[in-house]
Amino acid sequence: MDFKKGQIVLVDTNVIIESHRVKCWNAIADYYALETVEKCIEETQTGAQNRSPEENIDQARLTGSLVAVHHVTEIEKAAFLLRQKIQLDPGERDLLSHAAGRQDAWIICSPDKAAMRAAFAEGWLDRLVSLESLCDHLKIRPARSLQRNYTKQWHAVEFVKLRLA
């Protein structure tokens, strides 16, 4: 995929947490136009007790680094879920519901298998990218190794599984 400065990248809770954990958030937020939904912001603030203190995410700084945080209406969620038979976590459900209503060019970064299946069902497989791909384009090396499901290799394997299913 050819990435461009200012490209809209929709990010889910998992990507936000992982990119903070490996300390690549600032670099990707400076280059890409990162957007998410309110539910994903909310989810970044829950479960903090299970993270080390340096992995906690300041909500004000997070929202300040995003281009947009979108509100998703019950109607948008219902319209998306009527088409989907895949059980999604609330953050991914809202992010994909929001994406379904967009008319502009965007890509999505999510390591969630259910979200990937839903994106595939929508015909969006070519819009899915790994966190590692975003970092590689910027030639940055995260401070810590990415967890496996954020890598290009893991995404490639999952894409093949989706196509063959």
Side-chain angles (χ1 to χ4, degrees):
M1 182 171 287
D2 187 28
F3 299 112
K4 295 176 177 46
K5 182 164 179 59
Q7 181 167 24
I8 297 169
V9 181
L10 305 176
V11 293
D12 73 3
T13 307
N14 298 314
V15 169
I16 294 169
I17 292 170
E18 179 69 358
S19 60
H20 278 82
R21 185 187 75 80
V22 302
K23 301 186 183 342
C24 68
W25 178 262
N26 291 339
I28 64 173
D30 285 345
Y31 186 82
Y32 303 103
L34 301 181
E35 299 184 19
T36 196
V37 293
E38 291 171 346
K39 182 53 89 174
C40 288
I41 296 295
E42 177 186 319
E43 289 176 346
T44 66
Q45 303 305 300
T46 58
Q49 68 277 8
N50 297 324
R51 291 183 230 138
S52 58
E54 66 272 8
E55 291 175 340
N56 288 333
I57 300 168
D58 180 89
Q59 185 172 344
R61 291 183 72 193
L62 172 61
T63 56
S65 65
L66 293 160
V67 171
V69 177
H70 300 280
H71 173 74
V72 181
T73 67
E74 294 301 318
I75 292 171
E76 290 171 308
K77 291 178 216 178
F80 184 73
L81 292 175
L82 283 173
R83 295 195 315 260
Q84 288 290 330
K85 304 298 181 227
I86 298 168
Q87 184 68 32
L88 296 165
D89 291 331
E92 284 83 10
R93 176 205 61 213
D94 286 9
L95 191 66
L96 293 174
S97 295
H98 167 73
R102 292 185 76 122
Q103 301 301 312
D104 56 353
W106 52 267
I107 56 177
I108 192 165
C109 188
S110 174
D112 184 88
K113 285 185 181 184
M116 293 173 82
R117 284 192 307 275
F120 177 71
E122 293 292 321
W124 300 337
L125 196 58
D126 62 331
R127 292 178 182 239
L128 285 168
V129 298
S130 69
L131 180 57
E132 183 179 35
S133 295
L134 296 177
C135 291
D136 281 358
H137 177 73
L138 299 177
K139 297 179 177 41
I140 59 170
R141 224 181 238 306
R144 298 177 177 170
S145 295
L146 291 167
Q147 293 179 22
R148 188 173 57 87
N149 57 325
Y150 297 90
T151 65
K152 292 185 293 189
Q153 181 180 7
W154 184 86
H155 267 243
V157 168
E158 293 305 313
F159 287 1
V160 170
K161 289 178 185 177
L162 286 169
R163 286 185 174 112
L164 294 177

